Amino acid sequence: MLSIAVCDDDILDGCNIIKTVKMIMEARRTPCLIRQFSSGQELLAASESFDIIFLDVLMQELNGLQTAEYLRKQGECSILIFITSSRDYVFDAYDVEAFHYLLKPVNDKKLKRVLEQALGKIEPQAKDFIMISRERQKLKIVLDDVWYFEGRGRQIDIHRKEGMISYYEQISELEEQLKDKSFFRCHKSYLVNLKYVESYNRQEAVLENGERIMIAKRRYEDFCKAILEFMRKNGGIL
């Protein structure tokens, strides 16, 4: 899970940045933890490391540039995004390998663009996938694009965003391949992507695309445990 820090001695400014960052991350379904700091000293005293740090330049006692210098000396490789009301420190920011420099009041569209660019640098480029054999060819299936797998005898239908395709394999074999991924076999015929479950009851799970997947009675308790564990790992609020 991504970890983000916002350090600004103006509490209101910091809260506004956090509010906007949360909206952006929720819209793109990217789990993250965000911590707020009101001084450079407080940030440096934090026990954890951060993927992205929004850092005000003009702070009392220890300013943002000095804080960044200490972070770099400690070996911190976070992406630094400076936020300030002054343009005077733009070139100084390069000395601490700042990623970007935002002027207050921060424009939401500008913040979104810069945050998306930063996320592009730190998010893994490779996504989980499986290779299937279909029509004498090997085909790569990105798991993040799959709503669910449906087993019909020896055939498996892959229900994905780009449309359904089928290939030959036992669903039990596929279940073994997907161990430790975000899929759960909620019924003898279905392996559902927990990421796309919007609601559920004892009989069925409703996906974000509106489709309903049956949940076997004997699998319901394990399904509940699986989806709660998935939420814990991916930033869901329980």
Side-chain angles (χ1 to χ4, degrees):
M1 183 185 299
L2 291 173
S3 182
I4 299 174
V6 176
C7 183
D8 195 322
D9 60 359
D10 186 315
I11 303 300
L12 182 57
D13 283 352
C15 287
N16 288 335
I17 293 295
I18 289 174
K19 180 180 177 181
T20 304
V21 169
K22 281 184 176 179
M23 289 175 59
I24 295 168
M25 300 298 275
E26 287 173 1
R28 74 197 305 276
R29 299 182 181 280
T30 301
C32 71
L33 292 173
I34 304 176
R35 283 198 61 189
Q36 183 172 10
F37 301 92
S38 59
S39 70
Q41 294 94 324
E42 189 179 348
L43 174 61
L44 292 171
S47 58
E48 68 266 50
S49 296
F50 298 94
D51 298 299
I52 300 173
I53 299 176
F54 290 90
L55 185 58
D56 186 21
V57 174
L58 300 175
M59 294 190 293
Q60 298 295 319
E61 297 183 19
L62 197 66
N63 67 38
L65 290 168
Q66 293 169 325
T67 302
E69 288 175 1
Y70 279 113
L71 287 170
R72 293 307 191 214
K73 287 178 181 177
Q74 292 173 359
E76 185 61 70
C77 56
S78 306
I79 289 180
L80 297 179
I81 301 174
F82 282 110
I83 301 173
T84 183
S85 56
S86 173
R87 296 177 181 272
D88 296 342
Y89 304 93
V90 173
F91 295 106
D92 293 328
Y94 288 108
D95 292 336
V96 290
E97 301 174 23
F99 179 73
H100 220 291
Y101 194 99
L102 295 171
L103 288 174
K104 294 183 179 181
V106 178
N107 178 277
D108 286 356
K109 289 184 178 179
K110 177 71 171 178
L111 174 57
K112 182 177 187 298
R113 185 163 64 249
V114 171
L115 181 56
E116 290 283 2
Q117 291 171 352
L119 291 170
K121 286 180 65 69
I122 61 179
E123 288 181 331
Q125 298 300 310
K127 295 185 177 181
D128 287 334
F129 65 91
I130 58 173
M131 299 297 295
I132 67 170
S133 297
R134 185 172 182 267
E135 297 177 353
R136 298 183 180 179
Q137 290 183 329
K138 290 289 186 180
L139 183 63
K140 177 181 178 180
I141 302 295
V142 177
L143 296 178
D144 200 46
D145 296 334
V146 177
W147 300 102
Y148 63 96
F149 294 93
E150 180 181 5
R152 295 191 296 120
R154 282 196 57 83
Q155 179 174 299
I156 290 178
D157 296 335
I158 306 174
H159 298 262
R160 54 182 190 154
K161 296 176 182 179
E162 297 84 355
M164 190 189 79
I165 60 173
S166 302
Y167 75 110
Y168 290 101
E169 187 170 25
Q170 293 281 6
I171 195 167
S172 57
E173 295 174 3
L174 177 60
E175 180 183 16
E176 185 64 24
Q177 289 182 51
L178 298 179
K179 189 182 293 183
D180 300 325
K181 305 300 181 185
S182 63
F183 288 81
F184 182 81
R185 193 174 180 184
C186 58
H187 184 276
K188 66 178 182 179
S189 300
Y190 298 107
L191 274 163
V192 65
N193 192 339
L194 298 174
K195 176 180 179 179
Y196 296 118
V197 174
E198 193 166 73
S199 63
Y200 63 93
N201 55 41
R202 288 186 173 274
Q203 286 75 46
E204 62 184 11
V206 181
L207 306 187
E208 290 181 5
N209 65 351
E211 292 195 62
R212 297 173 181 271
I213 308 299
M214 288 187 291
I215 299 177
K217 183 178 180 180
R218 67 184 182 86
R219 299 176 190 262
Y220 177 71
E221 295 300 327
D222 287 337
F223 174 80
C224 292
K225 292 176 184 177
I227 200 162
L228 288 174
E229 181 62 24
F230 175 81
M231 292 174 68
R232 287 192 187 98
K233 288 181 178 178
N234 294 276
I237 300 174
L238 306 179

